[in-house]
Amino acid sequence: MAEDTRKRVLKAIRDLNYRRDGIARSLRRNKTGTIGVMISDITNPYFSDLVRGIEDTIYARNDGHYFILCNTDEDPEKERLYLDVLQEKRVEGLIVAPAGGNEQAFRDTIDFGVPIVFVDRVLEGVEVDSVRVNNREAAHAIVSHVLSLGRRRVALAHAKLDADSIVDRVEGYKDALREAGMTFDPAHVRTSRSSVEDAHREGLSLLTASPRPDAVFCTNNFMTLGMMQAIADLGLACPDDVAVVGFDDFPWTTAFHPHLTVVAQPSYEIGCAAVRLLFNRIAGDRASPPVRMVMDAELIIRESCGAAAKAGGEAASETACL
């Protein structure tokens, strides 16, 4: 194209505020450049960090891909609706933290040719790549640590979810009790929706029971926050009256007094790894067996478990890779 012609074309583009027709372009190329992401609760810092990992990794590819984010609120009907919408948008692939109950819909999506990567949890009978941590092992480690500090009435506050990640954390809790020669007591278990408000209500119920637990294991950060609120409302002291340990680290854990002992998941890295797995499938690797990626979690020991303070009164903090 001659230079004069090129300048006139560019001027016309500016004058007309021309924008490329992405739909027409995708039909011509048979690619939309779109990835669908479905997570359960964007207000949960764990998922916020995971989505940031997805975004940064897609952006770093610099190949014209972008993603559409859907928040399912752990609602299977909402998840099914978004799954239909994303297929209508002709997404090239999906990254999903599945709510459960839509196994056949996901199998149909795979048969339609859309690759899927599960994060945080998996669904039985749905053969796709996945990225998560060993939830059972991590729960076993943190509860065993509390028991090693002399706590004997270790209660459990877990989210009311069908997710296998929660099921595995409950089993890890039971494993630790069994290994310590203790009996699982259903009276020391409280279940609620994964929200601070519901966890707070169940925490009040648990901590006013007799005999009161001397420690509580919470299966996610919302459960931990609700339990800490209940302890404060009842005028109890953590860890003197009740030790608290939880799953998931978040930026303000060290702002609490006492600082919280947690299992920290590499949520950002899980998001990054999920993108890499998905693009391997999009690129054409559809026949190889599913990749089950299990990433390391960390046990971060701080004050809320009752660990002794360091000399000079500084709170103990110790990290162990699981």
Side-chain angles (χ1 to χ4, degrees):
M1 180 185 296
E3 182 62 19
D4 182 60
T5 303
R6 188 183 72 84
K7 288 181 178 179
R8 281 188 281 116
V9 169
L10 292 176
K11 182 178 184 302
I13 288 173
R14 289 192 298 270
D15 291 345
L16 296 172
N17 194 29
Y18 170 79
R19 293 291 183 272
R20 182 173 56 191
D21 189 334
I23 295 176
R25 184 168 180 265
S26 67
L27 288 172
R28 186 174 63 253
R29 298 171 63 233
N30 200 29
K31 291 182 179 179
T32 62
T34 309
I35 303 300
V37 178
M38 292 196 292
I39 52 93
S40 60
D41 188 352
I42 195 61
T43 66
N44 186 326
Y46 166 78
F47 283 113
S48 300
D49 207 32
L50 190 152
V51 169
R52 187 58 190 241
I54 292 171
E55 179 180 24
D56 288 352
T57 308
I58 291 175
Y59 182 78
R61 290 176 58 87
N62 194 30
D63 61 359
H65 279 88
Y66 63 97
F67 72 98
I68 300 172
L69 177 63
C70 301
N71 190 73
T72 68
D73 293 318
E74 300 288 358
D75 182 342
E77 291 186 11
K78 197 173 180 182
E79 179 181 76
R80 179 58 187 269
L81 171 64
Y82 282 139
L83 186 58
D84 290 342
V85 169
L86 290 171
Q87 287 189 75
E88 290 174 3
K89 297 290 185 183
R90 302 177 70 240
V91 295
E92 294 182 26
L94 291 167
I95 297 173
V96 184
N102 285 315
E103 287 81 354
Q104 187 57 52
F106 282 115
R107 286 192 289 266
D108 291 343
T109 302
I110 297 164
D111 292 342
F112 189 67
V114 180
I116 299 173
V117 177
F118 284 158
V119 290
D120 186 63
R121 70 283 292 260
V122 298
L123 294 177
E124 187 174 351
V126 182
E127 298 298 313
V128 299
D129 296 341
S130 60
V131 191
R132 54 183 181 155
V133 301
N134 189 326
N135 288 282
R136 186 166 184 166
E137 179 182 282
H140 170 266
I142 197 168
V143 175
S144 293
H145 176 72
V146 172
L147 291 168
S148 74
L149 297 174
R151 307 288 172 156
R152 286 298 173 263
R153 297 187 303 279
V154 182
L156 171 67
H158 72 86
K160 189 177 184 180
L161 301 175
D162 291 330
D164 73 315
S165 55
I166 299 299
V167 173
D168 286 349
R169 292 170 199 178
V170 172
E171 290 305 310
Y173 162 82
K174 293 179 179 178
D175 291 343
L177 293 181
R178 192 161 41 245
E179 192 175 273
M182 302 177 67
T183 303
F184 171 72
D185 184 357
H188 283 163
V189 178
R190 293 295 185 276
T191 306
S192 74
R193 288 190 315 115
S194 184
S195 73
V196 175
E197 295 78 16
D198 283 20
H200 171 254
R201 184 186 65 246
E202 293 301 325
L204 293 175
S205 166
L206 178 67
L207 298 174
T208 52
S210 183
R212 185 176 65 219
D214 58 8
V216 184
F217 167 52
C218 303
T219 60
N220 69 21
N221 46 25
F222 284 168
M223 306 302 290
T224 303
L225 288 170
M227 191 60 61
M228 293 300 288
Q229 283 186 359
I231 288 172
D233 287 352
L234 293 171
L236 300 174
C238 174
D240 295 344
D241 297 318
V242 185
V244 175
V245 296
F247 227 93
D248 293 330
D249 203 14
F250 42 97
W252 53 89
T253 45
T254 54
F256 275 89
H257 293 286
H259 297 169
L260 297 176
T261 294
V262 297
V263 168
Q265 299 188 76
S267 49
Y268 181 89
E269 290 76 11
I270 288 173
C272 297
V275 172
R276 290 191 289 269
L277 287 175
L278 185 63
F279 276 97
N280 285 342
R281 296 296 184 185
I282 291 173
D285 181 15
R286 305 291 177 95
S288 60
V291 176
R292 312 291 195 190
M293 185 177 292
V294 179
M295 305 190 83
D296 290 334
E298 288 184 321
L299 172 58
I300 303 177
I301 300 170
R302 301 190 184 107
E303 298 169 309
S304 68
C305 62
K310 293 180 180 178
E314 184 182 348
S317 182
E318 179 183 341
T319 300
C321 192
L322 302 176

